[in-house]
Amino acid sequence: MRYYLPEKPAIEEMHRIHVEKGHLGIVKTIQHFSIKYCATNQNQLAIDLVNGCDICKRAKKQIRKYGEIGQMEPTRSWTALAKEAITEYKHTIHSSTGYTPSFLLDGSDPDEIYQDVDLVQARKLAFNTSQAAHKISKERIERKHKVLQLKEGDLVYENLTDESNKEKLESVFSGPFEITNKISEIIYEIKLPNKIERVHIGKLKPYQPPIISEN
């Protein structure tokens, strides 16, 4: 259940969320606000709020002036920093579930954003939402990367190079080599000159016999 807020209270609540959460960006501010509230033109309110934040303006100005912040030595122990990072992660809303990990795990809700939410139903909804996000991601990857259909006896090229040490004009693939065994849909055994090697399908490319011109 969400509550409708008039413009002024909505701006005040967005400002509280924006500041207390560490000066979130526009999208994150809207996401946190939308968990419990709704308002007329709330997206535009968030845009105006974030773009008008003096601290955010100064931060962006410093980045433009000096460039991205490089690696710095921490003023506190890594243990303390790691603990804070884990805590913040647990209390951050994940886009794939719509909930914080801490709430889904044990019902912990320090920000009181899920007061009227049933934990069991939230877990079911989070699971379904996560599965849907996984499906969309899988379909997007499969559209870009065509799955190879290889079988025992096929000839393939293998990527044997180390990208970090590859010379500029060095050939990327070597072969062809014969597939001697199909372990799974993604793992194959190929016959190299001196050994049999198990290879991930991502490093293989089907052999194409050279085209011989009759002229």
Side-chain angles (χ1 to χ4, degrees):
M1 179 178 178
R2 295 195 298 167
Y3 301 94
Y4 174 81
L5 293 181
E7 181 174 332
K8 185 176 180 180
I11 293 174
E12 292 174 351
E13 180 61 19
M14 283 187 182
H15 181 266
R16 182 191 69 79
I17 293 171
H18 176 67
V19 173
E20 291 184 1
K21 294 293 183 180
H23 290 270
L24 299 173
I26 295 170
V27 175
K28 290 291 185 181
T29 299
I30 294 172
Q31 287 178 344
H32 279 271
F33 177 84
S34 299
I35 291 171
K36 196 171 181 179
Y37 304 103
C38 62
T40 303
N41 296 326
Q42 65 181 36
N43 289 356
Q44 188 60 49
L45 293 178
I47 292 171
D48 295 339
L49 173 71
V50 175
N51 289 340
C53 176
D54 290 334
I55 293 178
C56 293
K57 285 181 180 179
R58 289 199 297 271
K60 291 178 182 178
K61 185 177 180 180
Q62 289 296 97
I63 291 175
R64 286 195 296 268
K65 182 177 180 181
Y66 299 110
E68 296 292 340
I69 298 175
Q71 184 176 356
M72 300 175 62
E73 288 297 324
T75 56
R76 291 175 293 145
S77 69
W78 284 111
T79 302
L81 292 173
K83 185 176 180 180
E84 288 184 10
I86 293 172
T87 300
E88 185 63 25
Y89 171 83
K90 290 170 62 179
H91 297 311
T92 299
I93 298 173
H94 285 207
S95 59
S96 61
T97 63
Y99 298 93
T100 63
S102 60
F103 178 71
L104 294 176
L105 286 171
D106 55 24
S108 176
D109 184 23
D111 295 327
E112 298 182 350
I113 55 180
Y114 303 118
Q115 289 180 319
D116 301 320
V117 178
D118 180 75
L119 181 57
V120 175
Q121 293 299 322
R123 286 171 174 168
K124 291 181 180 179
L125 179 60
F127 176 79
N128 293 334
T129 305
S130 179
Q131 289 293 96
H134 174 74
K135 182 179 179 181
I136 293 173
S137 178
K138 181 175 181 291
E139 291 174 349
R140 183 173 63 250
I141 292 174
E142 288 178 347
R143 283 197 301 268
K144 294 182 179 179
H145 301 85
K146 186 177 180 181
V147 179
L148 295 178
Q149 299 296 332
L150 302 174
K151 62 183 184 299
E152 186 176 329
D154 285 351
L155 295 178
V156 293
Y157 293 109
E158 182 190 8
N159 187 342
L160 296 173
T161 61
D162 181 354
E163 290 295 329
S164 61
N165 296 319
K166 186 172 76 68
E167 296 294 335
K168 186 173 183 179
L169 299 179
E170 182 181 353
S171 177
V172 175
F173 288 90
S174 299
F177 306 114
E178 181 184 356
I179 294 178
T180 59
N181 191 16
K182 180 179 180 179
I183 306 300
S184 68
E185 292 297 326
I186 60 173
I187 301 296
Y188 293 83
E189 286 185 346
I190 62 174
K191 184 178 181 181
L192 298 181
N194 301 319
K195 62 179 180 178
I196 300 295
E197 183 177 64
R198 288 192 176 186
V199 186
H200 188 277
I201 193 172
K203 300 191 70 175
L204 300 177
K205 182 174 72 171
Y207 168 71
Q208 298 291 340
I211 299 176
I212 302 176
S213 175
E214 296 181 356
N215 296 332

